[in-house]
Amino acid sequence: RRPDHLRPYAPEQEALEEYGKYIALVCRRYGKKRYLCKNNNNIFRLADLTRAFPRSVFIVPFRAPAHHAASLFAQNARFADASDFERKYMRWLGHFEFGATHLRYNFDSGALQFTDPADCNYWLETWINTYRYLLDVISGAENAFPVCYEELSSEHPDYVAALSGLCGVEIDNEMLRPANRKVTLNFDAVLMEEAQEVYSALRKAGRDLLPG
């Protein structure tokens, strides 16, 4: 974490070892054999996590860029005028994705064309840079898998079954109903075309990597 942005980093070996001990203690406390973690900030350390925990499965969910960018744009506007308490709470959680505590994501992808979070294209460009970086990480890891939000439904039973087998968790695909709504924001056409190329690459990687 830097004053004006977040960037990928390599955790120290001691931190990774301590994290492994923490996971083991939680599992022991509750008599479980598996540990489930949802942490958005793990994208900044994903490469090292996949190597440190080779028996773990890392799911990298992604969504159609227009819908994801529109959601982030709306959330940013919603939390832009957060109170002092809300700001402190969000910082304490390490929640910098949007709103008054937002910090730009920096993946060394070059100068940004859109720098204003009040512009929907800022979030689309952030989506592109983030998932292009994650595609590179996934390509170098044997236990990281991109999973498409739009394919998690009863209309794609084979995809859901493959994910179920990968994770060793029974999934009822009848309960999965993607809820994308019509997007009316005026996204830059060239930027959207670039985003769709990344989205297509993610979907292909997901199909190729998921077993079955």
Side-chain angles (χ1 to χ4, degrees):
R1 173 185 169 188
R2 305 295 173 85
D4 64 343
H5 68 269
L6 299 174
R7 61 182 297 112
Y9 78 103
E12 294 182 1
Q13 182 61 32
E14 182 181 0
L16 292 169
E17 291 174 358
E18 290 299 313
Y19 183 46
K21 293 176 184 177
Y22 168 78
I23 292 174
L25 286 171
V26 172
C27 289
R28 181 175 180 180
R29 166 64 178 82
Y30 294 100
K32 302 294 183 180
K33 295 182 179 180
R34 306 187 69 184
Y35 177 85
L36 175 65
C37 168
K38 181 266 183 186
N39 189 330
N40 292 351
N41 286 330
N42 275 346
I43 66 173
F44 297 107
R45 46 191 175 242
L46 183 61
D48 287 270
L49 287 173
T50 59
R51 288 191 289 267
F53 301 95
R55 295 175 58 194
S56 296
V57 175
F58 294 85
I59 300 298
V60 182
F62 65 95
R63 186 179 179 187
H67 293 94
H68 198 163
S71 175
L72 289 168
F73 174 73
Q75 290 290 76
N76 184 68
R78 179 183 176 190
F79 288 96
D81 298 320
S83 66
D84 287 342
F85 170 79
E86 289 172 324
R87 291 170 189 246
K88 291 178 181 178
Y89 184 65
M90 296 284 267
R91 292 192 187 100
W92 179 73
L93 289 176
H95 203 326
F96 304 104
E97 290 92 331
F98 46 72
T101 58
H102 172 61
L103 293 176
R104 178 174 59 85
Y105 287 11
N106 184 351
F107 296 104
D108 293 328
S109 49
L112 294 176
Q113 181 181 354
F114 299 94
T115 58
D116 182 5
D119 182 345
C120 63
N121 289 298
Y122 170 90
W123 299 101
L124 185 59
E125 189 170 37
T126 296
W127 188 98
I128 292 170
N129 292 338
T130 300
Y131 281 104
R132 184 173 283 153
Y133 165 78
L134 288 171
L135 263 174
D136 287 339
V137 173
I138 291 167
S139 67
E142 296 182 355
N143 54 342
F145 304 86
V147 172
C148 180
Y149 174 78
E150 283 74 28
E151 294 197 53
L152 292 176
S153 73
S154 57
E155 297 178 4
H156 303 277
D158 292 342
Y159 189 88
V160 177
L163 178 61
S164 177
L166 173 69
C167 298
V169 176
E170 186 175 346
I171 303 174
D172 181 1
N173 62 3
E174 293 297 330
M175 297 177 63
L176 301 173
R177 303 181 187 280
N180 283 340
R181 298 178 180 178
K182 183 178 181 180
V183 175
T184 59
L185 296 174
N186 186 27
F187 287 112
D188 179 85
V190 175
L191 199 65
M192 181 55 71
E193 183 176 352
E194 187 177 352
Q196 287 299 138
E197 291 177 358
V198 176
Y199 179 68
S200 296
L202 285 163
R203 293 189 74 166
K204 182 180 186 304
R207 294 192 194 98
D208 289 345
L209 291 173
L210 288 178

